[in-house]
Amino acid sequence: MQNPKNMLASITGNTKILGVIADPVSQARTPVMANTLLDERGLLGAFAMLPMQVSAEGFPAFIAGLRAMKNFGGAVVSMPHKIVTSSLVDELTPEARLVGAVNVVRRNQDGRLIGTILDGEGFVAGLVGAGYNVRGAHVLLVGAGGAASAIAFALAKHGCTSLCIKNRTPERASALLARVSHAYPQVKISAEVYSNDHYDVAINATSLGMKPSDELPIAKGLIWQCDLIAECVIAPEMTPLLLEASGQGKVVQTGVPMLAAQMNLMLAFMGAE
């Protein structure tokens, strides 16, 4: 670990800039986690990650500018930009094409931007690393955006038995379920929750919980029907949903393991190896 003076001296005109792009971005833990990993590997200075707050209105112009920034190495893309990024980059990995969203972008030397999605693999790795099973599980997933889509496909890929998707816009949930069913026909899918249903894992893959005034993404009564409640929201670490679930005696998992599991994959994709 470098001392602060050496850390500052390591940032030079040759440093490759990495970013985390979101709006808001103040809650992001990614820069600290990434720069700590880079420092531990002796790569801080060759690369450095910075927060980049970009509005939805300014996002297309910002992405265009990244092509011209020769010392830009890549960026982690967070809410609300994951889905639109898939239409703005020059090339998508097979995973990103399947999901229809991007959460990591790499800039090639020729200025072309390549996008992939690692939310799903990161989430599953976080669950498995904590000792929970995905194979054979009955899962409730709340959300149908970029992160939720990636998680849905990853859960199906890793062998969940059934997947129920709930979203404030039912049509988006149905569309996502249809895509998952087409790719993984062996998974039992549903958009309806019934009073006698039981779920091994329930996941909040929406942004609800970032603000104290947010409603619970999973109703109190429905929490009772689930064994494990897992979050994708990073800050606050203990969201109102997790606090409610803990109060009901449920096992909870914060969003941090998902992000931690992704960091190595993200840095590798952006060339910081």
Side-chain angles (χ1 to χ4, degrees), residues 107-142:
R107 182 192 184 277
N108 287 353
Q109 286 188 342
D110 60 3
R112 296 178 71 248
L113 300 179
I114 316 300
T116 193
I117 185 82
L118 297 171
D119 278 326
E121 291 299 326
F123 183 85
V124 169
L127 273 185
V128 172
Y132 305 118
N133 290 324
V134 171
R135 184 166 298 279
H138 299 278
V139 183
L140 170 65
L141 176 65
V142 181

Side-chain angles (χ1 to χ4, degrees), residues 2-23:
Q2 298 183 46
N3 66 45
K5 283 188 177 180
N6 290 341
M7 221 176 273
L8 289 173
S10 68
I11 307 296
T12 71
N14 294 316
T15 299
K16 280 267 189 186
I17 301 301
L18 308 177
V20 54
I21 311 170
D23 187 23

Side-chain angles (χ1 to χ4, degrees), residues 81-244:
H81 305 308
K82 294 181 181 184
I83 292 177
V84 70
T85 300
S86 65
S87 65
L88 296 174
V89 297
D90 301 299
E91 183 181 331
L92 296 172
T93 64
E95 295 81 5
R97 280 199 302 273
L98 182 65
V99 173
V102 164
N103 81 324
V104 191
V105 172
R106 177 183 72 237
R107 182 192 184 277
N108 287 353
Q109 286 188 342
D110 60 3
R112 296 178 71 248
L113 300 179
I114 316 300
T116 193
I117 185 82
L118 297 171
D119 278 326
E121 291 299 326
F123 183 85
V124 169
L127 273 185
V128 172
Y132 305 118
N133 290 324
V134 171
R135 184 166 298 279
H138 299 278
V139 183
L140 170 65
L141 176 65
V142 181
S149 298
I151 291 169
F153 280 102
L155 290 167
K157 172 186 172 183
H158 288 274
C160 73
T161 292
S162 69
L163 179 62
C164 178
I165 299 179
K166 295 294 291 180
N167 190 61
R168 283 178 291 189
T169 307
E171 293 79 11
R172 291 187 69 184
S174 297
L176 175 55
L177 282 167
R179 288 161 52 214
V180 173
S181 182
H182 179 76
Y184 298 97
Q186 74 278 12
V187 178
K188 182 182 176 182
I189 63 170
S190 172
E192 295 295 332
V193 175
Y194 299 100
S195 59
N196 60 342
D197 286 343
H198 166 266
Y199 301 98
D200 300 298
V201 185
I203 305 158
N204 174 35
T206 75
S207 61
L208 291 174
M210 293 175 67
K211 301 174 184 175
S213 58
D214 286 344
E215 62 184 276
L216 289 179
I218 302 174
K220 292 180 181 181
L222 185 52
I223 291 172
W224 187 249
Q225 298 171 227
C226 310
D227 292 339
L228 167 68
I229 306 294
E231 267 286 9
C232 294
V233 171
I234 303 296
E237 189 167 341
M238 284 298 291
T239 61
L241 173 65
L242 297 186
L243 291 171
E244 173 63 32

